[in-house]
Amino acid sequence: MKKIIMMLFVIIALGVRAEDNRLGLGGYYKLSKYIGGDDKLYPFLNVTYNNAYLQGSEIGYNFDLGNVELTPFVKKDSTEGFEKGELTGSNALLETRENPMLAGVKVSKKIDNLDLSLSGYRDFSSEGNNIKLKAAYTLKIFEFLYFLPSASAVYSDKNYVNYYYGMTAEESALTGGEYKDLNGSIRGEFELGAAMFFSQKAGVYFSYNVEALNGHNYNHSLIKHMANKSFTLMGMYRF
């Protein structure tokens, strides 16, 4: 079922005629949230093709409904999860956490320089559901320089939280780690971004991102820190 959903979105995205094409290419560096995990650098591709987009591994299509935009999307988040044996120490014994396979819908509204959005999406790897409320602001500092901060509150149900932030009772007994049955919880996501343009067509984008967890609702034998950080650097071109 999830393969069929993803294929439908790919067909929609590739079938759109180009009017305002944008291309971004760069890297996404993520400090591992997992104890025994390695920090990783991921290639990052961003393509906007009229109302369709590819952002990293997320594919979506924006429907303009007048006052709001409706955006169905699918995503495979390769920066989350781990393979069995990938972590070091006793956590090498943990079973694989498959990358999130997400499908959902976002509703967004622009108010001057403020962009508000509400998303709901299903993760087929953990069988968990998520709701995300995001506020993003565009501040023009100079003609060529923009400051792009955003803040999000994400609610994930207990299936998602236990799968990516916890251990099973069997894994805890095997590794000697703590065990607790985690509940659904809210985490924060904060991004400080900046875009600098060298011409009307070419520029560079950088962002510093922080995921802030609920300190009482993750397994301390698996997760390193309450605040998990990542960085994005990308060149941009409009044609």
Side-chain angles (χ1 to χ4, degrees):
M1 181 63 181
K2 62 186 179 184
K3 291 182 178 179
I4 295 174
I5 293 174
M6 294 192 72
M7 183 61 68
L8 288 175
F9 278 91
V10 171
I11 292 171
I12 290 173
L14 295 181
V16 179
R17 294 182 58 188
E19 290 184 3
D20 184 16
N21 299 338
R22 301 179 188 183
L23 173 65
L25 184 62
Y28 176 76
Y29 185 71
K30 186 169 186 178
L31 306 181
S32 178
K33 70 176 64 175
Y34 298 113
I35 295 173
D38 294 326
D39 304 337
K40 292 183 179 180
L41 177 64
Y42 302 88
F44 190 85
L45 176 65
N46 191 333
V47 181
T48 300
Y49 192 73
N50 195 12
N51 287 348
Y53 68 87
L54 168 65
Q55 185 175 4
S57 56
E58 177 178 323
I59 298 174
Y61 185 84
N62 300 316
F63 292 94
D64 188 351
L65 303 182
N67 291 329
V68 299
E69 261 189 1
L70 182 69
T71 307
F73 63 90
V74 293
K75 179 179 182 178
K76 178 182 180 181
D77 189 353
S78 58
T79 69
E80 290 288 335
F82 52 85
E83 297 289 334
K84 184 174 183 178
E86 178 181 336
L87 305 182
T88 60
S90 61
N91 284 346
L93 301 172
L94 298 177
E95 294 296 326
T96 294
R97 304 298 196 269
E98 298 288 348
N99 299 141
M101 299 287 289
L102 310 175
V105 176
K106 178 176 71 173
V107 179
S108 57
K109 181 177 178 61
K110 289 188 71 70
I111 305 173
D112 296 326
N113 292 337
L114 181 64
D115 190 355
L116 301 175
S117 64
L118 177 65
S119 307
Y121 49 95
R122 172 79 167 179
D123 171 37
F124 293 95
S125 296
S126 65
E127 300 298 325
N129 297 305
N130 303 267
I131 298 173
K132 180 175 183 177
L133 178 63
K134 180 177 181 179
Y137 190 78
T138 300
L139 177 62
K140 183 178 179 180
I141 300 175
F142 300 109
E143 193 65 33
F144 60 89
L145 182 62
Y146 293 81
F147 181 50
L148 307 166
S150 70
S152 304
V154 184
Y155 172 79
S156 298
D157 68 15
K158 67 178 302 176
N159 286 349
Y160 188 94
V161 173
N162 275 289
Y163 190 76
Y164 291 110
Y165 299 95
M167 295 183 186
T168 65
E170 292 78 8
E171 288 175 330
S172 296
L174 186 64
T175 63
E178 71 169 350
Y179 171 72
K180 55 182 178 179
D181 186 23
L182 304 175
N183 298 312
S185 67
I186 297 176
R187 65 185 182 276
E189 295 179 355
F190 306 95
E191 180 176 329
L192 295 177
M196 179 181 293
F197 292 91
F198 308 115
S199 68
Q200 290 187 344
K201 291 188 174 183
V204 64
Y205 171 81
F206 170 81
S207 70
Y208 169 69
N209 318 292
V210 177
E211 175 194 52
L213 304 179
N214 180 334
H216 301 290
N217 208 44
Y218 65 85
N219 192 304
H220 292 76
S221 298
L222 177 62
I223 304 299
K224 286 181 183 178
H225 308 293
M226 189 172 73
N228 303 292
K229 304 175 182 66
S230 60
F231 308 86
T232 303
L233 179 63
M234 177 176 65
M236 302 177 293
Y237 185 75
R238 178 182 294 178
F239 58 94

